[in-house]
């Protein structure tokens, strides 16, 4: 009798897991989900409300739809875009960006310095200028950038003095140096000169700095990288049609008789292979504090049977067709019928704050089932 009671208690415990075991399983599941997103721990949400740079928001909207699904896989160079705001808030045109969050396995593709050009000072008389030359240098000697060998030219061009707005300079060689040797990062120096190459004092052109200007105009470094994470070889070209698939029932497929004893589960098993919604809600998971966009997405999943014979609407591979025939004719032992699986996958994009409160746009392959088929 006692053994029976103990057995019943054990069965009851297995059927109704304790809150502690549920919490452990949830933590394990979220850890596995983080691994899918290439993270060990979730980034800490910003300590105060922080507006992401408009450039990063616009880039996300260019690359992805409202659910984060990639519009065109060829828009981005690489799969990661990182933005870094200038940290020193210097009044001089010296800029320093901390790149410690860049992983060692990331391949540096392109680095850009984004500077917001302020409206020029009004000058009178014959000295009035319409153009000036802006040069960007990598600082090699922190305290002596003007000595020979103290700096290296990265970019230079003529800039109009008639307008304001963003100027973008390519600084890829410097960032590659800094990511290989963090101690070599002595920052950047920007100079403004006349067309003849002479200094202008005071310079008629100024860029917004981290001090005294709105955060939306702060100097920013934008880094395009690739972390080497690539998905399966399923086709990914083209923008996905995310409407539910409802393939026609094959004429040869027997229609089941709906008896009262047949369970809903068995009926579901006889439904043809098709795509069904699968919502991933980042707020429900507890990630809404650090993910900016999207708030969630529809991953979809594939469910249904692959009965013999397989019609074209089941999108079967040749191998699945042969397997279906062998299974139906019982020509070989242990051969199951084909399975309903995704046959087209699409990537999604996340815009989020990392641990240093920098904004990152990252593309993840094979996250949305675009269509389903029998394989």
């Amino acid at each position: 009798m006692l053994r029976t009671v103990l057995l019943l208690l054990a069965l009851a415990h297995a059927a109704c897991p304790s809150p502690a075991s549920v919490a452990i399983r949830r933590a394990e599941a979220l850890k596995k989900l983080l691994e899918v997103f290439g993270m060990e721990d979730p980034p800490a949400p910003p300590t105060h409300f922080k507006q992401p740079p408009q450039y990063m928001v616009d880039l996300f909207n260019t690359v992805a739809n409202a659910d984060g699904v990639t519009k065109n896989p060829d828009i981005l160079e690489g799969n990661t875009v990182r933005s870094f705001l200038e940290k020193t808030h210097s009044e001089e045109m010296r800029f320093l960006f901390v790149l410690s969050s860049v992983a060692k396995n990331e391949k540096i593709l392109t680095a850009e310095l984004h500077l917001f050009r302020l409206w020029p000072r009004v000058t009178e008389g014959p000295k009035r200028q319409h153009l000036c030359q802006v040069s960007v240098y990598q600082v090699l000697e922190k305290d002596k950038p003007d000595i020979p060998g103290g700096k290296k030219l990265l970019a230079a061009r003529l800039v109009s003095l008639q307008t304001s707005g963003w100027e973008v300079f390519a600084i890829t060689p410097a960032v590659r140096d800094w990511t290989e040797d963090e101690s070599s990062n002595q920052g950047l120096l920007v100079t403004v000169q006349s067309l003849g190459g002479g200094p202008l004092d005071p310079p008629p052109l100024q860029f917004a700095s981290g001090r005294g200007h709105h955060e939306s105009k702060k100097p920013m470094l934008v880094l395009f990288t690739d972390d080497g994470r690539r998905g399966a070889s399923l086709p990914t070209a083209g923008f996905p049609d995310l409407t539910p698939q409802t393939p026609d029932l094959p004429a040869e497929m027997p229609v089941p008789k709906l008896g009262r004893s047949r369970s809903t589960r068995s009926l579901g098993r006889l439904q043809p292979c098709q795509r069904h919604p699968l919502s991933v809600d980042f707020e429900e998971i507890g990630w809404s504090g650090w993910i900016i966009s999207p708030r969630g997405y529809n991953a979809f999943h594939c469910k249904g049977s692959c009965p013999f014979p397989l019609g074209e609407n089941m999108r079967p591979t040749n191998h699945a067709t042969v397997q279906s025939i062998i299974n139906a004719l019982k020509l070989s032992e242990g051969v199951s019928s084909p399975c309903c699986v995704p046959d087209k996958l699409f990537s999604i994009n996340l815009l989020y704050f990392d641990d240093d409160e920098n904004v990152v746009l990252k593309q993840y392959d094979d996250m949305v089932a675009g269509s389903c088929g029998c394989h």
Side-chain angles (χ1 to χ4, degrees):
M1 180 66 180
L2 179 59
R3 290 181 62 184
T4 304
V5 171
L6 291 174
L7 179 60
L8 290 173
L9 288 173
L11 290 172
H13 179 74
C16 301
S18 66
S21 64
V22 171
I24 291 172
R25 284 183 60 83
R26 176 182 172 84
E28 290 175 349
L30 290 180
K31 188 171 183 62
K32 289 293 183 183
L33 188 58
L34 276 172
E35 291 176 6
V36 172
F37 288 102
M39 303 177 188
E40 293 184 3
D41 299 297
T47 54
H48 59 280
F49 176 77
K50 193 170 183 179
Q51 191 74 28
Q54 189 61 43
Y55 173 85
M56 296 298 288
V57 175
D58 292 342
L59 184 60
F60 175 86
N61 291 331
T62 300
V63 170
N65 68 7
D67 293 327
V69 181
T70 304
K71 294 179 182 179
N72 186 328
D74 298 324
I75 293 178
L76 278 188
E77 182 183 11
N79 60 8
T80 307
V81 185
R82 298 180 179 275
S83 62
F84 304 86
L85 294 181
E86 209 273 333
K87 298 292 186 182
T88 61
H89 308 310
S90 172
E91 292 182 351
E92 301 175 358
M93 286 198 281
R94 293 280 296 268
F95 306 106
L96 180 66
F97 300 92
V98 179
L99 307 180
S100 56
S101 59
V102 180
K104 295 297 182 183
N105 65 322
E106 288 186 56
K107 180 181 179 181
I108 307 300
L109 301 175
T110 303
E112 299 174 344
L113 174 65
H114 291 225
L115 297 176
F116 188 83
R117 185 176 73 253
L118 300 173
W119 283 102
R121 292 192 177 102
V122 177
T123 56
E124 303 292 342
K127 292 185 178 180
R128 180 166 184 151
Q129 303 273 336
H130 295 283
L131 293 171
C132 65
Q133 178 170 301
V134 176
S135 303
V136 179
Y137 296 90
Q138 176 183 353
V139 177
L140 303 178
E141 295 288 339
K142 181 179 180 181
D143 298 322
K144 302 175 182 178
D146 293 326
I147 66 172
K151 61 181 182 293
K152 180 172 69 175
L153 181 65
L154 298 172
R157 70 164 174 271
L158 298 179
V159 174
S160 170
L161 293 174
Q162 308 302 314
T163 60
S164 70
W166 287 99
E167 294 286 341
V168 179
F169 302 90
I171 57 168
T172 308
V175 174
R176 284 179 176 159
D177 289 345
W178 299 339
T179 52
E180 289 176 6
D181 179 10
E182 192 174 340
S183 64
S184 69
N185 184 358
Q186 305 299 327
L188 301 167
L189 171 67
V190 177
T191 64
V192 178
Q193 295 176 306
S194 67
L195 295 183
L200 295 172
D201 189 23
L205 173 66
Q206 286 190 324
F207 295 101
S209 65
R211 178 184 298 177
H213 297 103
H214 192 269
E215 188 167 300
S216 64
K217 295 180 174 60
K218 285 184 178 180
M220 181 172 64
L221 188 153
V222 178
L223 185 57
F224 296 81
T225 69
D226 195 302
D227 63 7
R229 291 166 56 92
R230 291 298 175 191
S233 58
L234 293 179
T236 57
F239 185 57
D241 174 15
L242 298 183
T243 56
Q245 292 177 330
T246 54
D248 296 330
L249 202 65
E252 301 86 352
M253 181 177 177
V255 179
K257 296 180 179 179
L258 301 180
R260 289 186 178 181
S261 61
R262 189 177 299 275
S263 67
T264 305
R265 193 173 193 179
S266 64
L267 283 174
R269 235 183 1 251
L270 293 175
Q271 293 298 311
C273 175
Q274 56 187 297
R275 192 176 60 169
H276 298 267
L278 175 60
S279 175
V280 180
D281 189 328
F282 292 131
E283 184 172 1
E284 187 177 342
I285 293 172
W287 292 0
S288 60
W290 56 274
I291 292 181
I292 303 167
S293 290
R295 310 312 294 173
Y297 74 101
N298 195 343
F300 293 99
H301 71 112
C302 298
K303 184 173 66 174
S305 63
C306 294
F308 173 82
L310 295 177
E312 288 186 6
N313 57 343
M314 297 295 175
R315 304 167 67 94
T317 60
N318 287 338
H319 180 274
T321 301
V322 173
Q323 180 175 333
S324 175
I325 294 170
I326 298 299
N327 170 263
L329 299 179
K330 307 299 181 187
L331 296 179
S332 181
E333 290 292 330
V335 177
S336 61
S337 62
C339 297
C340 178
V341 295
D343 63 357
K344 188 176 289 186
L345 294 168
F346 298 104
S347 59
I348 67 163
N349 301 265
L350 288 191
L351 189 67
Y352 64 90
F353 291 104
D354 66 12
D355 284 321
D356 296 328
E357 297 189 5
N358 299 312
V359 175
V360 180
L361 170 62
K362 202 168 184 69
Q363 195 169 91
Y364 298 92
D365 289 342
D366 302 345
M367 299 295 287
V368 174
S371 60
C372 301
C374 292
H375 289 219

